[in-house]
Amino acid sequence: MEKNTSCFFSNSSPNLVITCFVAFITIILVRFLYVIYRTGKPLNKRTPQQTLSTLIVLGSGGHTAEMINLLLVLQKDRFTPRFYIAAATDNMSLQKARVFENSLADSGVKGISAEFMQIYRSREVGQSYVTSVWTTLVATAHALWLMIKIRPQVVLCNGPGTCIPLCVIAFIFKVVGIRWSSIFYVESIARVKRLSLSGLLLYKLQIADQFFVQWPQLQRKYPRAHYV
């Protein structure tokens, strides 16, 4: 009898593991499809007084200038605290963000709350693809640590490559139920005929909740985008 019992448990254990694994994969798949379905749809109504922690991804060159223009019309008292992230080698963008936040304080905007952070780049300009494998892994791990620390309710980005790991992790957080972050992507005005690589990835993977382009021909080419 003992021999038969031990044989029963030894045979059932692998089946139990397989069953649990299949159930787990099924739950994740259902949750993934639900997130895709809900992406871009309005969330439950919030009270006007409720603030939203906002992650703002900055990029070198014109990206930061365009982002500052967007922030000028942002409801500062609602989208707070604000977390600015730029690449580790991009000190100029964070400096511009600090100047912007200081100008808000000088103008008397109440409830100013901002933090400034840097993130490792996945690949530097001119870096070989072989060595970029390691740096990409390091950058992804760093992005995960930052997202766990911030857990933003809103992610605002406009094209720098540093936004990709952050947005992907924010999407994964939705799937596993850690935090529901609304991702807003505004393509650069310099993109007239085709999307940037960052924009194309977020559009094709349906990661962004709202995707904006600034040229009508782009909206016709990518119909899920909003033309503004």
Side-chain angles (χ1 to χ4, degrees):
M1 181 65 181
E2 291 180 357
K3 182 178 180 181
N4 293 336
T5 303
S6 62
C7 289
F8 171 76
F9 281 106
S10 62
N11 292 331
S12 63
S13 295
N15 293 333
L16 180 61
V17 171
I18 293 174
T19 302
C20 292
F21 178 75
V22 171
F24 174 77
I25 294 299
T26 302
I27 292 173
I28 292 297
L29 179 60
V30 170
R31 178 68 181 180
F32 174 81
L33 294 175
Y34 171 75
V35 171
I36 291 292
Y37 169 75
R38 289 290 302 168
T39 296
K41 292 180 171 59
L43 300 178
N44 295 332
K45 291 184 177 180
R46 304 175 185 270
T47 59
Q49 294 78 18
Q50 185 175 2
T51 59
L52 301 168
S53 59
T54 303
L55 171 62
I56 302 164
V57 186
L58 303 175
S60 57
H63 289 298
T64 294
E66 290 188 28
M67 181 60 72
I68 296 298
N69 286 333
L70 290 173
L71 297 178
L72 289 173
V73 296
L74 193 72
Q75 293 176 299
K76 284 65 167 193
D77 55 342
R78 188 176 188 194
F79 294 90
T80 184
R82 290 181 290 280
F83 301 88
Y84 294 87
I85 288 186
T89 54
D90 183 11
N91 295 316
M92 185 64 69
S93 293
L94 287 183
Q95 181 60 33
K96 291 179 180 179
R98 288 190 178 94
V99 171
F100 171 75
E101 289 291 335
N102 290 336
S103 68
L104 294 180
D106 293 339
S107 63
V109 177
K110 298 180 180 180
I112 296 295
S113 178
E115 292 187 33
F116 307 90
M117 305 175 177
Q118 290 182 304
I119 185 173
Y120 295 124
R121 284 183 184 270
S122 298
R123 182 174 179 268
E124 296 289 348
V125 177
Q127 182 181 354
S128 68
Y129 288 102
V130 175
T131 59
S132 65
V133 173
W134 167 249
T135 55
T136 298
L137 292 175
V138 173
T140 302
H142 191 207
L144 177 61
W145 180 82
L146 289 174
M147 290 297 290
I148 292 174
K149 179 180 179 181
I150 300 172
R151 293 203 308 155
Q153 294 164 280
V154 174
V155 178
L156 184 60
C157 52
N158 67 340
T162 49
C163 76
I164 295 299
L166 296 168
C167 289
V168 169
I169 293 170
F171 183 83
I172 294 174
F173 279 6
K174 290 182 184 182
V175 175
V176 300
I178 294 177
R179 167 72 88 180
W180 192 283
S181 301
S182 296
I183 302 173
F184 296 90
Y185 182 87
V186 182
E187 185 59 279
S188 171
I189 196 172
R191 292 291 173 170
V192 179
K193 296 182 178 180
R194 61 179 64 90
L195 297 177
S196 63
L197 179 58
S198 299
L200 187 63
L201 288 173
L202 295 182
Y203 182 88
K204 292 294 186 181
L205 297 175
Q206 299 188 42
I207 290 178
D209 291 85
Q210 297 289 337
F211 194 103
F212 299 94
V213 295
Q214 302 188 59
W215 294 92
Q217 58 268 31
L218 273 183
Q219 197 278 330
R220 290 192 294 268
K221 190 173 181 180
Y222 304 96
R224 284 190 286 106
H226 302 279
Y227 165 60
V228 292

